[in-house]
Structure formats: structure tokens, C-alpha cells
Amino acid sequence: MSKSLSEMTLEELWALFPIILSEHKDCWHDWYEEEKERITIILHGIDLKINHIGSTAIHSIMAKPIIDILVEIPEYSFMGDIKEKLENNGYICMSEQENRKSFNKGYTDKGFAEKVFHLHLRYFGDNDELYFRDYMNNYPILAQEYEKLKCCLWKKYEHNRDAYTEAKSAFVLKYTKCAKIEYGIKK
């Protein structure tokens, strides 16, 4: 009998869920739209902003086939109630901070499901990923540089998602800052 995901060590989880990069697929946008609709129904009555973020939202570059979704809510909303609603609808809370929660959906004890989602729950305005996404889409040559970086890091960190993300962070921070300057954001 196999272990449940909650019984696995981090190393076992990384082995079961390695970093995989895939050619860009048009269906990723459709998967986002379908999940956005589900989230809107689940969180009916809450003022929301929902956006497709991450590499699957950057046109024409390789990406992990995981749809990242940013859900922004007003600061007066109680994250605990929203967490409960998401968990009751198939999302697993993976990390929690006072102003941020991260959820996964599509991870099974046999590996990835066909559709995998990461949902990032934040308060309005905590959305730097939008600037990076838009900047990469507006500057395809930079997006190709980002893809090259990801490909160089892929096999090195195939079983260490945290190290993979950390190794990309200087690039992401640099161009998020450039985007904010270009778009006139004073954060």
C-alpha cells in the first residue's frame, strides 16, 4: 500500500512530483478559464480579482504544466473562511502566512493529475507576478531568456522545487522591478 501525500517526506514528494518543462500549450489558457469559473462559483459573494500568472501565462515559452492562479481579496475578508471553502472543493493548503496562503490541486499519490493548479490567495495589491507576466509578454526576447534560464536549471534542480525557484528569483525580481518602472508603479 502506498503512502498518502501527507505521510511522505519532502524528498519523496519531490521524487513523485519532479520539475517537468513542457512546450507551451494553448490549452493552458482554457484550463485557467475553466478553473477561474469554478473558483468564482466556490467563492461566490466575495469581491475577487482572479488572474493567470506564472510561466503558463507567458506566451510561447516552456513551462511546468501547472496553472498558477492569483486570487486577490479585500483586506476585510477573512482568509480562514476562504481557505475552508477552497479545501472543501479539492484544494490542499500548502503554506500559510498572515497575508498569504498557497493551495495545490491535482497532486495524487500516483503523481500529477492531467490538470494541476497552484492557487495563490492574497490581499488586493499583493500581485507583483502580474507585472512580471505582462513584461515578459511585452518583451518576447526577454521571455526567451527566461525560458533558457529555466531550461538550464531544470535538470539540476529536477527534484528540488525550492532551489529551482530560488535560482530564478534574481531574474524575476530584476524584470519585475523594470516592469514597475515602465508601468509607472511606485511600490
Side-chain angles (χ1 to χ4, degrees), residues 12-145:
E12 289 172 321
L13 289 168
W14 281 342
L16 184 60
F17 304 109
I19 292 171
I20 299 166
L21 292 182
S22 167
E23 293 295 327
H24 190 86
K25 294 183 174 38
D26 292 336
C27 66
W28 291 340
H29 177 74
D30 296 334
W31 292 359
Y32 159 73
E33 289 293 337
E34 291 166 6
E35 197 64 16
K36 176 183 176 182
E37 189 174 320
R38 283 187 200 96
I39 293 165
T40 301
I41 292 167
I42 292 166
L43 301 179
H44 176 74
I46 299 170
D47 187 17
L48 305 171
K49 289 183 186 173
I50 303 176
N51 281 282
H52 187 185
I53 59 171
S55 293
T56 59
I58 299 172
H59 310 304
S60 303
I61 70 167
M62 292 181 74
K64 295 187 306 286
I66 297 169
I67 309 304
D68 283 284
I69 300 172
L70 175 63
V71 177
E72 294 177 82
I73 59 172
E75 287 200 34
Y76 60 79
S77 298
F78 184 59
M79 279 199 178
D81 291 343
I82 294 170
K83 173 187 173 188
E84 184 177 336
K85 289 178 182 188
L86 291 169
E87 288 178 331
N88 288 337
N89 285 277
Y91 278 93
I92 299 167
C93 187
M94 299 304 293
S95 69
E96 294 186 75
Q97 298 171 9
E98 185 178 336
N99 296 326
R100 292 178 160 199
K101 295 192 187 315
S102 296
F103 299 85
N104 293 349
K105 182 178 174 184
Y107 289 74
T108 76
D109 60 356
K110 305 269 188 280
F112 293 113
E114 177 189 4
K115 296 177 184 177
V116 181
F117 301 95
H118 287 178
L119 187 149
H120 309 270
L121 181 64
R122 314 251 182 87
Y123 291 121
F124 287 146
D126 186 359
N127 56 16
D128 282 356
E129 294 87 348
L130 299 177
Y131 302 106
F132 182 75
R133 176 202 67 195
D134 292 349
Y135 203 72
M136 290 297 106
N137 282 325
N138 288 336
Y139 294 96
I141 292 171
L142 288 177
Q144 293 305 312
E145 282 184 39

